Amino acid sequence: MSGSSSKMSVTQLTLLTALNMMGSGIIMLPTKLAEVGTFSIVSWLVTAGGSTALAYAFAKCGMLSRNRGGMGGYAEYAFGKSGSFLANYAYCVSLLIANIAIAISAVGYAVALFGLNTTPFETCLLTIVVLWICTVLNFKGAKITGLISNFTAWGVIIPVAGISVIGWFWFNPETYISAWNPHDLPTFDAISASISMTLWSFLGLESACANSESVDNPEKNVPKAVLGATIGVAVIYILSTNVAAGIVDNAELVKSTAPFGLVFATMFNGTVGQIVMGLMIMSCSGSLLSWQFTIARVFKSSADEGYFPKWFSKVTKDDAPVLGMTIIVSIQTLMSFMTISPSLYRQFNTLVDLAVVTNVMPYLLSMAAVFVMLKAEGVSGHQAKVVKLMAFIGTVYSLYALYAAGYEAMMYGALATFAGWFFYGLAAEKLFKRNPQSNVALGVTGDD
């Protein structure tokens, strides 16, 4: 590797990106996919293709953009300050919801591990406790968060990679084939039924280019790392969930709140299954810890831009936005009560669909801005054509993911997004007072 020895190699960046993406996205997947059957492998292939296109386009955006603020900065190229606000706002709403779903995943595994029989209200209280613990642990700043989350990530990687490699010894082709399409769904409906859950497991790919300054030759290595990580993670996801479907009967898998624990218990014994459940709880909690810190940082950067109230900008001597974190977890506490469902799994499902819908909004804004960004940064020829094609594929896939999420998730997601326009009006008033010449209220940047 040429350049500074303190910089990451493309291999290191690929591994880091893969770890960020895997987190907790996979641990409930076998249960959800069992609803559709092993036909869901087709959904995996569709999502892997769409996610790869999005990942490539985001990697290029990260290289080209001169604007701060991630997806908000990308959206600003085409939609001005209003687009930047809406991208940041929708992303924040998505993370608020997604983190509750991660907490519910941890609770689901804990319920199975300790043999608890919780009521929906008790499940909700346990979810809130997990959210608060994982928030308070962040109060001492990024260093502690990084140490814990880097260690706990292996709690999901070891079992999932283990099933992908050694699970084949317990794989029964008859079990797999009998679960192909248990409800005889039409092909298009069967693919759509599991798209939200497969996309959920890839959420976070947009953050893959955040480490571009830490790698040698970022123009070449960041896209390589993003594509390598996305494809690598897709292979592990597809292998592990499909091997699991050939080990455990579909009827058992679909009822489980701790599917990977069940698979290992079937492969070995109950004790091994419980160890895996413990590892998954550890991993899920570590992932939640990291994401709670991330969301506080996203809120802080939005507050620094003037989009959100200044409360979110305040940091302690440890550079931790503690006030912002406390407000965020309080909002999540209210949301947890609002989404109580008869079953833990149904609540998880509802939250995942909502998180996907709200996360796709900034994806669409960013992909649409790619064309203006390429022009503004003077990129043309073959490179521009490839990026435009990937942005187009990513857009088509994102629109399909919105459709597949269903009417209820689309309705609530749309309400949350429409409310964002009102919140932008409040932010725009303050921004306009600060700089009357910027025409910010019209969604036009000061450079226009």
Side-chain angles (χ1 to χ4, degrees), residues 210-282:
N211 295 291
S212 58
E213 291 175 10
S214 307
V215 68
D216 232 5
N217 196 359
E219 288 77 12
K220 284 187 178 178
N221 286 338
V222 169
K224 276 184 192 174
V226 171
L227 288 174
T230 306
I231 294 165
V233 165
V235 169
I236 292 170
Y237 282 162
I238 292 168
L239 282 176
S240 60
T241 52
N242 280 277
V243 171
I247 295 172
V248 180
D249 233 24
N250 188 268
E252 280 186 76
L253 208 51
V254 81
K255 291 185 290 188
S256 178
T257 62
F260 280 102
L262 175 63
V263 173
F264 272 90
T266 307
M267 286 163 61
F268 297 103
N269 54 51
T271 304
V272 175
Q274 287 180 321
I275 291 168
V276 168
M277 285 183 208
L279 285 170
M280 290 284 187
I281 294 167
M282 178 186 82

Side-chain angles (χ1 to χ4, degrees), residues 365-387:
L365 288 166
S366 299
M367 291 303 102
V370 161
F371 300 88
V372 179
M373 188 189 295
L374 290 169
K375 192 86 171 170
E377 302 305 330
V379 180
S380 58
H382 177 71
Q383 186 187 1
K385 285 178 184 174
V386 171
V387 180

Side-chain angles (χ1 to χ4, degrees), residues 56-70:
Y56 182 87
F58 276 122
K60 285 297 183 184
C61 284
M63 294 297 95
L64 295 171
S65 177
R66 287 179 290 124
N67 295 338
R68 293 184 307 160

Side-chain angles (χ1 to χ4, degrees), residues 95-161:
L95 290 182
L96 280 171
I97 298 163
N99 289 7
I100 302 170
I102 294 172
I104 286 174
S105 301
V107 170
Y109 270 74
V111 164
L113 177 60
F114 298 110
L116 303 175
N117 187 17
T118 55
T119 64
F121 184 72
E122 288 167 343
T123 299
C124 177
L125 289 181
L126 286 170
T127 302
I128 291 164
V129 168
V130 171
L131 283 164
W132 276 92
I133 290 171
C134 289
T135 301
V136 171
L137 287 172
N138 279 313
F139 283 3
K140 293 305 287 179
K143 192 174 180 183
I144 301 293
T145 301
L147 283 172
I148 297 173
S149 55
N150 286 343
F151 171 74
T152 57
W154 294 99
V156 73
I157 292 163
I158 292 167
V160 169

Side-chain angles (χ1 to χ4, degrees), residues 289-329:
L289 183 87
S290 177
W291 277 110
Q292 285 292 86
F293 192 83
T294 300
I295 188 175
R297 281 285 166 195
V298 174
F299 269 78
K300 182 187 179 302
S301 63
S302 294
D304 291 344
E305 290 288 321
Y307 297 153
F308 291 177
K310 282 295 174 191
W311 310 321
F312 296 106
S313 283
K314 295 181 188 297
V315 293
T316 62
K317 60 179 172 48
D318 297 307
D319 197 33
V322 170
L323 178 60
M325 287 183 204
T326 307
I327 295 168
I328 287 163
V329 76

